[in-house]
Amino acid sequence: MANTLGDIQTVLRIRPFRRLWTVLGLASFGDWLAIFATAGFAQSLFDDPAAKGAAFSATIVLRLLPSLVLGPVAGVFADRFDRRKTMAACDTARFLLIASVPTVYLITDNTAVTVAWLAIAQLCIEGAVLIWSPAKEAAVPNLLPPEKYEAANQLSLATTYGIAPPLAFAVLAILERGSAVWSNLGTWAEPMVIALYLTAAMFAILAVTVYFFIPEISGRIGEAAAKTSSVWHDFVEGWSYLRTSERVRGLIVGMLGAFSGAGILIGVGTVYATTLGAGEAAFYTLAVFLFLGLGCGIAFGPKLIGELSRLRWFGMSIVLAGTGLALDAVAPHMVFSVIGSLIIGLGAGMAFLAGITLLQRETEDEIRGRMFAFIAVSARVILMLSMTIAAPLAGWQAARSLDLGFADVPLSMSRILLFIAAALVVWLGVTAFKSMDDKPGVPVFADLWSSLRGRPLTAAEPVAGTGFFVVFEGGEGAGKSTQSVKLAAWLKLRGYEAVLTREPGATDIGMRIRSLVLDSAPENSGGASTPTPRAEALLFAADRAQHVDKVIRPALERGAVVVSDRYIDSSIAYQGSGRALGKDEIAWVSTWATGGLKPDLTVLLDVDPADGLHRAKAGGDGDRLEQEQLEYHEKVRETFLQLAAADSGRYLVIEAGGTPDEIAARVRAAVAERLDIRTRTTRTETGWPGLDATRNGAKGNKNPQHDTTQNDTAPHDTTRNGTGKPDAAPTAQSTKDYGWDTVAEEASRP
Ligand SMILES: Nc1ncnc2c1ncn2[C@@H]1O[C@H](COP(=O)(O)OP(=O)(O)O)[C@@H](O)[C@H]1O
Ligand SMILES: Cc1cn([C@H]2C[C@H](O)[C@@H](COP(=O)(O)OP(=O)(O)O)O2)c(=O)[nH]c1=O
């Protein structure tokens, strides 16, 4: 889903969307024009500078008010009626209302009447906007396939906030300048009068375009227009949807966090800027960087994060914005504040884009309008509330400074408020992240880091069973085979279904891969039949994929204990480190191959390579890898030890110098602790299972006392493989020799 200009071009090739986008561009251009033209018009009605200022802000406040009253039902409109008709009706209303303002002005000489009508018109215009927007937002998904939502939103946001406002300003400026030329033409040619008529005309065009040229906006709703439920019912339904859908709720929690942070930031902004001692310009500099961050977040965010889960991206972006706020709160110097503001902008921009896209994706068509209306209204309310609370508080200049040793941080109310905002935003961001996470268990930073590098981590495929997975790792001759046999035998004799297996070569295909990758090339082949390092890595990964799917997962799902001689770590050590292919890359390939299946316990048998090789070769030449230089095996050992150190809870590292029995005892203790084995179990209770190649005998039951039946099929063997027989044929059980002494030995243990 990496968005590039190419993606945006594809979106624009979809005709109904292209038309909607044009409409949207015109509408936001009209909106900005309307906002500033009416405010400018209101100002022009007064001469006194104070009255001018009050008139300007009053018109803006008037536009915010209706959302409180009308907001809750605006979404119901968008979901209840044909969205195309709703939009066209709102555009017609806006056309009439905006045109009426200068008309009233031209007809009457009474300023009071004009002002009163302006106020009423403002209220109604905002009402129309409130109904129009959710209808529009909800319509977008009906015109596009889901994977295009993000690019479409990038385009819409860029148009609404990037292109439309400067254009609107430019038009107003041209009209102001130009008015000098035609000032003798009379009242109707005053710049704001022309601007308002122009804006009105634009909405007339919009109404016609939407109604006649984009029938697709109607979507499914158009057909299902015959609704019988009441408006109240629809409203309540919207609320209960919020409560039941955890993802949507997370989304809303996050958005509200972001908006409250934004409100506090706006409220304290000017006062905060003065604490930086960088003069008047500080505030504007910070604002510029904030908007720069916003723009960059929206424009480049998706490209940057690549395939990272959008559900995760949303929460992470909000936390990022919170971090920016915190940085601003403690910034000892203007430079840090600038960086902080940039980060806030980045986070907020990405969260905004991700939020809209997710809301489109996660909500069904019938309910979408209400969700967008809910967000729009609560955003306004929260923004206003936090602004009005924060602004007067910020004024309390209890300025002191905090000595951090290396820098003096001025301590003022505005900074404290920023810090509270930061904490709130981070907290809500984390809450949102948790309730939306679609990859539970995948470490957050590793996921982010791999996504930035173009290799997102996938969530581990769950194992539907209670099995236990033990892996033996270590260099050549460390005693892995010896120990895995001992452990498996011991487990079997305690009533567990122990599946002894190994890599490479535990399956049919695996056996063939094993010989491809390990057989030494014939003397005269000139190395032509030796796999290259990358091919070798992929062959091991292929063997592992087959092994996991056909042997390990089915066994774990039955509840068995799987004991494997080597697993992923061997690839990381031998190919990643030994062959210098990169440990992360190899780990990623193997994680992909195994669907993220990790061992519950890895026993690392650590042996000095020289000793190990000596043991392993025992007279012969060894396989192709055993013939590598000692230096290669040193690197392998080093990597095993690093892997174990990085995740000590999952590893048991044993110095392989002891006798096989000593080592086996430590392994048993570790496994027993994790499996919570009751040592009461004896041979007579479980029967003598015999250790032949076929899987019979003890059940994969962790409660051996109840193991009275001798069952051929394990009790939980119901799942995935019900249809096809696994090709598990030659598991290690048939290729390794258990040896009766091992069995007898293990049987006599406590
Ligand atoms: N703890 C030990 N001390 C001495 N020799 C051992 C020990 N464990 C295993 N061996 C011997 O070392 C050789 C290699 O053991 P093996 O279990 O096949 O190692 P791996 O599977 O790690 O290559 C075998 O001949 C085995 O008998
Ligand atoms: C599983 C695996 C093994 N190997 C190598 C290590 C061994 O040299 C070889 C075969 O392993 P193995 O059969 O365990 O041999 P041994 O018991 O003699 O140690 O394959 C890798 O290089 N990458 C891997 O992913």
Side-chain angles (χ1 to χ4, degrees):
M1 223 200 283
N3 284 285
T4 51
L5 275 182
D7 246 355
I8 289 184
Q9 278 169 354
T10 339
V11 169
L12 283 178
R13 246 176 244 133
I14 302 172
R15 191 191 297 156
F17 179 77
R18 191 169 63 234
R19 290 197 178 143
L20 182 74
W21 174 67
T22 322
V23 163
L24 178 101
L26 284 178
S28 54
F29 175 51
D31 262 344
W32 289 107
L33 259 186
I35 289 175
F36 291 105
T38 43
F41 176 76
Q43 258 184 328
S44 71
L45 295 175
F46 300 94
D47 292 327
D48 176 42
K52 268 183 189 291
F56 192 90
S57 18
T59 48
I60 300 209
V61 168
L62 276 180
R63 294 209 55 160
L64 287 176
L65 269 183
S67 63
L68 302 184
V69 189
L70 204 58
V73 289
V76 176
F77 263 88
D79 287 337
R80 205 178 162 80
F81 303 110
D82 183 327
R83 288 180 186 140
R84 181 174 54 105
K85 292 183 185 156
T86 307
M87 284 171 73
C90 290
D91 285 335
T92 312
R94 284 196 276 184
F95 154 63
L96 292 174
L97 286 163
I98 295 173
S100 73
V101 172
T103 312
V104 168
Y105 170 67
L106 292 180
I107 296 172
T108 161
D109 281 340
N110 189 335
T111 312
V113 171
T114 314
V115 170
W117 180 244
L118 175 62
I120 295 170
Q122 268 307 67
L123 278 172
C124 302
I125 292 171
E126 177 62 10
V129 173
L130 271 177
I131 296 174
W132 188 88
S133 305
K136 186 261 303 178
E137 301 285 4
V140 170
N142 292 343
L143 308 185
L144 293 170
E147 67 280 5
K148 297 278 176 270
Y149 293 173
E150 192 169 76
N153 289 328
Q154 283 181 297
L155 192 63
S156 307
L157 289 173
T159 316
T160 311
Y161 299 99
I163 305 174
L167 268 184
F169 276 121
V171 167
L172 290 177
I174 291 170
L175 286 176
E176 284 281 3
R177 283 288 171 84
S179 67
V181 180
W182 61 71
S183 59
N184 51 351
L185 291 181
T187 353
W188 66 266
E190 280 174 17
M192 289 306 144
V193 173
I194 301 184
L196 285 172
Y197 276 127
L198 196 74
T199 315
M202 217 143 65
F203 283 107
I205 298 174
L206 277 186
V208 173
T209 316
V210 168
Y211 194 84
F212 293 104
F213 297 103
I214 325 183
E216 292 86 351
I217 291 181
S218 297
R220 294 178 285 263
I221 287 297
E223 290 126 45
K227 279 200 109 171
T228 47
S229 54
S230 69
V231 171
W232 176 247
H233 169 269
D234 284 5
F235 179 62
V236 173
E237 189 186 46
W239 269 106
S240 47
Y241 183 80
L242 273 186
R243 265 185 299 142
T244 49
S245 164
E246 202 174 354
R247 281 190 181 169
V248 173
R249 206 176 47 218
L251 203 65
I252 285 177
V253 164
M255 287 236 173
L256 299 191
F259 282 113
S260 51
I264 297 182
L265 184 66
I266 299 171
V268 308
T270 45
V271 181
Y272 166 73
T274 61
T275 70
L276 290 166
E280 282 280 299
F283 177 70
Y284 294 103
T285 313
L286 293 183
V288 165
F289 276 90
L290 188 97
F291 279 99
L292 200 68
L294 266 174
C296 290
I298 292 170
F300 309 118
K303 180 106 182 106
L304 182 74
I305 55 144
E307 304 259 320
L308 180 71
S309 144
R310 287 337 191 219
L311 288 158
R312 288 189 142 201
W313 184 37
F314 176 72
M316 286 181 186
S317 305
I318 290 183
V319 173
L320 181 71
T323 326
L325 277 171
L327 182 59
D328 266 0
V330 299
H333 188 272
M334 182 73 186
V335 175
F336 293 94
S337 304
V338 165
I339 299 174
S341 306
L342 197 67
I343 295 178
I344 299 175
L346 263 179
M350 297 195 297
F352 197 30
L353 179 62
I356 297 180
T357 309
L358 286 174
L359 202 60
Q360 288 166 344
R361 231 176 54 187
E362 298 287 327
T363 53
E364 286 109 54
D365 191 58
E366 300 79 47
I367 201 100
R368 205 179 292 129
R370 274 165 280 177
M371 293 304 115
F372 271 103
F374 179 81
I375 295 261
V377 173
S378 20
R380 277 165 213 229
V381 174
I382 295 224
L383 257 178
M384 280 201 287
L385 263 182
S386 48
M387 258 160 71
T388 38
I389 294 174
L393 282 179
W396 287 353
Q397 278 297 22
R400 303 216 351 235
S401 75
L402 187 68
D403 190 2
L404 289 182
F406 57 93
D408 250 357
V409 177
L411 204 61
S412 67
M413 199 59 198
S414 61
R415 281 171 181 264
I416 295 173
L417 284 171
L418 274 185
F419 206 82
I420 295 174
L424 186 76
V425 170
V426 170
W427 176 55
L428 291 177
V430 171
T431 312
F433 184 94
K434 282 192 187 146
S435 62
M436 297 165 75
D437 196 2
D438 57 341
K439 290 199 218 167
V442 177
V444 179
F445 288 106
D447 188 23
L448 179 64
W449 178 235
S450 337
S451 300
L452 292 176
R453 295 167 62 240
R455 306 276 163 78
L457 303 177
T458 33
E461 289 162 23
V463 179
T466 51
F468 191 82
F469 183 21
V470 190
V471 170
F472 283 90
E473 293 281 11
E476 315 295 329
K480 299 177 298 299
S481 316
T482 313
Q483 293 300 333
S484 35
V485 172
K486 280 177 173 293
L487 179 66
W490 182 75
L491 285 165
K492 278 211 172 192
L493 292 164
R494 256 131 218 97
Y496 284 85
E497 182 196 350
V499 173
L500 177 57
T501 180
R502 66 157 172 179
E503 288 190 3
T507 58
D508 246 352
I509 288 181
M511 284 304 279
R512 284 188 260 170
I513 294 178
R514 184 181 171 93
S515 84
L516 277 177
V517 84
L518 289 183
D519 290 351
S520 307
E523 293 287 321
N524 54 2
S525 75
S529 58
T530 322
T532 65
R534 283 173 200 275
E536 179 184 292
L538 289 170
L539 284 169
F540 279 118
D543 166 70
R544 185 162 300 130
Q546 193 74 8
H547 186 205
V548 166
D549 254 19
K550 296 296 184 190
V551 180
I552 305 180
R553 276 187 193 272
L556 293 175
E557 279 166 13
R558 289 196 303 270
V561 181
V562 177
V563 179
S564 178
D565 181 349
R566 296 193 187 274
Y567 190 57
I568 296 186
D569 290 1
S570 283
S571 281
I572 300 179
Y574 284 82
Q575 280 69 49
S577 189
R579 299 268 186 243
L581 289 173
K583 290 181 271 190
D584 288 351
E585 307 281 293
I586 296 295
W588 188 77
V589 170
S590 265
T591 307
W592 183 80
T594 59
L597 181 71
K598 282 190 178 178
D600 296 297
L601 172 69
T602 300
V603 180
L604 172 57
L605 299 171
D606 181 43
V607 70
D608 181 56
D611 298 349
L613 284 169
H614 181 72
R615 277 193 208 165
K617 290 185 188 168
D621 278 347
D623 62 38
R624 196 173 57 80
L625 288 170
E626 281 166 351
Q627 291 165 13
E628 286 291 335
Q629 299 297 315
L630 193 59
E631 194 191 342
Y632 174 93
H633 293 285
E634 298 277 9
K635 271 198 258 173
V636 168
R637 178 195 192 185
E638 183 63 32
T639 309
F640 276 132
L641 288 170
Q642 283 168 359
L643 288 169
D647 191 2
S648 53
R650 231 181 244 278
Y651 282 80
L652 170 68
V653 183
I654 299 180
E655 174 59 63
T659 66
D661 277 349
E662 284 165 5
I663 297 171
R666 290 190 58 192
V667 173
R668 282 196 306 274
V671 172
E673 184 192 312
R674 287 173 169 78
L675 277 180
D676 194 21
I677 286 182
R678 313 264 178 283
T679 42
R680 276 187 44 220
T681 321
T682 64
R683 201 173 84 196
T684 46
E685 281 177 78
T686 57
W688 188 265
L691 294 165
D692 48 26
T694 50
R695 181 169 51 69
N696 61 10
K699 291 205 296 182
N701 187 332
K702 284 188 182 170
N703 203 351
Q705 287 95 318
H706 302 299
D707 190 4
T708 48
T709 50
Q710 287 282 319
N711 220 338
D712 230 87
T713 30
H716 304 302
D717 197 0
T718 50
T719 45
R720 336 201 311 157
N721 281 309
T723 46
K725 275 250 175 220
D727 83 335
T731 65
Q733 284 158 316
S734 57
T735 54
K736 295 257 175 182
D737 177 19
Y738 276 95
W740 282 97
D741 359 333
T742 310
V743 174
E745 237 176 86
E746 300 306 318
S748 62
R749 292 190 198 288

